[in-house]
Amino acid sequence: MIKLLPKNCVGCKQCVKICPFAAIQLEGKTPVLNDRCTGCGACVDACRFAAIALTGKKSPGMKNLSAYRGIWVIAEHRGNSIHQVTLELIGKALELSRQRATEVSAVLLGERVKELPPLLMRHGADRVYIVDAAHLRRYRTLPYARIISELIVACKPEMVLFGATTMGRDLAPRIANRLGTGLTADCTGLEIAPDSGLLLQTRPAFGGNIMATIACPDHRPQMATVRPGVMQSICFPEHTGEVVHIAVKEKREDNLVSILKTIPKKRSAVDLEKAQIIVSGGRGLGAAENFKLIKKLADCLGAEVGASRSVVDRGWISREHQVGQTGKSVRPRLYIACGISGAVQHLAGMQHSDVIAAINRDPKAPIVAAAHFSLIGDLNRIIPEMISQLQKR
Ligand SMILES: Cc1cc2nc3c(=O)[nH]c(=O)nc-3n(C[C@H](O)[C@H](O)[C@H](O)COP(=O)(O)OP(=O)(O)OC[C@H]3O[C@@H](n4cnc5c(N)ncnc54)[C@H](O)[C@@H]3O)c2cc1C
């Protein structure tokens, strides 16, 4: 624990500048610690006047973890439309909240966003914190990170979830750093540990060769980003909740960055994340031209075409079709993997599909173990037969 010795302090503010967690302020000439202190000791080393010491006890930021309650989802929206990943995260948060006997809150920053809370509630949010202000109209890192960090410090949620989107990937690490807590990025699974109640956050690690489960036992909140398409949204048409309006003032530091122009990204012709059915092809196709089999089967089923990375790397199909850890995460009702072995990096992107069917000549391929149905044999015979049967119908 950090111990302040005010009688030695000369008010140089070196400790305030060096503290990575904004845990020391000067009140008049007296240094004061707040509960963000993690006891890292950076201020002890920085103080030249022996006004700060480290003791053996725990620091304020590390104690009283039980004061943190509830699960928060940081809502993302554009043009008054909520991003699907927010609804998926609320669905997961609801499942986790039942095991923690707690509530789910969504946090919504923006301008004129008052119409959005009912949708968040219908997907399971018990409470929506709204911060509605002109300077929050478009996402900017500094004001969003500052305001959400301040809210977290004030309300002490136990867990905070973000979409692993451009915004979430930018915002979550900033907030984790400000709060001095941990963050697991790009999770593919979230569970509650039955014994400790900790949030177990699973993600591919070491180049995707293993799935690592990460916990944050000593700091709060426990924070994770989750890729779109991994969790499932649930709709409860009758569910309502509480709206809490938070008033904020614009600060000078909020405006260090201004947005000059927004250029919308061209919409990809492939929409794997929203597809109900995906037919994916892998190296077992043998050659680029055999993708026409996959496309034909996809047409018969009204499906999108997916692919493994090895065929994308070979240039058989464009990258926007890639499913997996470094491609898209998908959750269709039906995923048909044709000539795909089911490497862990591929499974990371499609294992939550409702039904998985594998076409593979190797009965021991990992995709066969992950699939609900498997057709063992040569895809060059199986797929044309499937197409012919579907066309007859
Ligand atoms: C950091 C990292 C990230 C990665 N990210 C991704 C990712 O996002 N997505 C991804 O897919 N991969 C990813 N990979 C690559 C991954 O490890 C595998 O190499 C890749 O998924 C293998 O692709 P595949 O299944 O098409 O090919 P293979 O592993 O070669 O499998 C081909 C399969 O086809 C079957 N087969 C062969 N001929 C036939 C036939 N005639 N009929 C039926 N079956 C047949 C074989 O039995 C085999 O199971 C990543 C790897 C790393 C290191």
Side-chain angles (χ1 to χ4, degrees):
M1 180 176 179
I2 297 294
K3 190 174 176 198
L4 300 175
L5 306 162
K7 66 176 184 353
N8 295 346
C9 179
V10 296
C12 71
K13 291 193 182 168
Q14 199 53 34
C15 53
V16 178
K17 285 184 205 148
I18 205 85
C19 176
F21 307 114
I24 310 184
Q25 294 126 18
L26 277 190
E27 288 181 6
K29 279 197 171 172
T30 313
V32 179
L33 271 185
N34 63 38
D35 65 2
R36 292 184 208 169
C37 176
T38 63
C40 72
C43 54
V44 180
D45 298 337
C47 179
R48 291 184 288 122
F49 304 98
I52 311 176
L54 256 183
T55 70
K57 292 182 196 162
K58 279 189 168 185
S59 59
M62 291 180 71
K63 71 178 181 188
N64 207 11
L65 299 187
S66 59
Y68 289 77
R69 298 284 301 153
I71 306 179
W72 282 16
V73 172
I74 306 304
E76 196 169 327
H77 60 95
R78 197 159 298 145
N80 257 2
S81 152
I82 293 281
H83 195 301
Q84 179 62 22
V85 72
T86 300
L87 306 179
E88 293 165 6
L89 287 176
I90 293 175
K92 186 68 193 182
L94 195 63
E95 181 194 317
L96 301 173
S97 72
R98 288 183 180 140
Q99 293 166 67
R100 295 297 293 147
T102 188
E103 291 180 332
V104 175
S105 302
V107 179
L108 187 60
L109 273 66
E111 188 192 21
R112 298 198 194 113
V113 287
K114 296 189 179 93
E115 286 155 21
L116 299 178
L119 179 68
L120 299 169
M121 288 170 188
R122 282 200 298 280
H123 283 80
D126 301 302
R127 182 180 304 109
V128 180
Y129 291 99
I130 289 194
V131 190
D132 198 306
H135 71 289
L136 302 175
R137 184 161 71 92
R138 283 189 290 197
Y139 171 70
R140 278 182 306 158
T141 312
L142 293 175
Y144 272 58
R146 177 180 69 78
I147 292 166
I148 295 171
S149 303
E150 286 172 4
L151 268 176
I152 290 173
V153 169
C155 303
K156 295 189 167 45
E158 189 183 19
M159 301 169 202
V160 183
L161 308 179
F162 303 76
T165 56
T166 310
M167 172 181 136
R169 284 175 171 157
D170 179 54
L171 186 57
R174 291 265 182 170
I175 294 174
N177 185 49
R178 279 176 186 239
L179 301 174
T181 189
L183 169 71
T184 308
D186 264 5
C187 293
T188 54
L190 297 174
E191 304 292 334
I192 299 291
D195 46 349
S196 60
L198 285 172
L199 179 66
L200 301 180
Q201 307 155 64
T202 302
R203 56 152 295 151
F206 292 107
N209 291 316
I210 59 161
M211 297 301 281
T213 297
I214 296 164
C216 177
D218 296 328
H219 298 276
R220 290 294 178 273
Q222 301 163 87
M223 302 210 329
T225 66
V226 178
R227 295 174 100 189
V230 176
M231 307 300 177
Q232 203 163 17
S233 65
I234 319 163
C235 189
F236 308 91
E238 307 297 323
H239 189 259
T240 57
E242 178 194 8
V243 175
V244 180
H245 291 274
I246 310 283
V248 290
K249 285 205 179 105
E250 191 172 2
K251 291 205 173 164
R252 207 160 59 90
E253 65 171 269
D254 293 348
N255 291 315
L256 292 176
V257 174
S258 48
I259 298 171
L260 302 181
K261 194 175 173 188
T262 308
I263 304 166
K265 192 177 154 192
K266 273 195 191 150
R267 276 201 76 77
S268 155
V270 189
D271 202 350
L272 286 176
E273 279 145 352
K274 288 200 185 131
Q276 298 281 310
I277 306 176
I278 297 174
V279 182
S280 275
R283 203 151 67 96
L285 285 171
E289 57 269 22
N290 289 342
F291 246 102
K292 64 176 184 290
L293 267 182
I294 300 292
K295 287 180 183 148
K296 210 164 173 188
L297 179 58
D299 283 347
C300 290
L301 294 165
E304 290 279 6
V305 172
S308 70
R309 175 162 148 181
S310 67
V311 294
V312 170
D313 288 348
R314 282 177 167 72
W316 294 2
I317 193 162
S318 62
R319 194 156 296 280
E320 60 191 355
H321 292 272
Q322 186 183 318
V323 172
Q325 184 195 326
T326 42
K328 304 261 171 59
S329 291
V330 297
R331 199 183 185 129
R333 292 177 61 194
L334 174 62
Y335 188 89
I336 307 180
C338 310
I340 292 178
S341 59
V344 64
Q345 298 90 351
H346 189 81
L347 295 177
M350 45 61 72
Q351 63 194 341
H352 298 292
S353 306
D354 289 353
V355 176
I356 300 170
I359 303 174
N360 202 300
R361 67 179 178 194
D362 178 4
K364 293 204 176 100
I367 193 75
V368 175
H372 301 92
F373 303 99
S374 297
L375 294 168
I376 305 298
D378 184 352
L379 60 83
N380 295 301
R381 292 184 55 207
I382 294 172
I383 298 179
E385 181 58 27
M386 285 172 80
I387 293 169
S388 129
Q389 293 289 333
L390 286 163
Q391 282 173 341
K392 276 187 209 154
R393 290 191 197 184

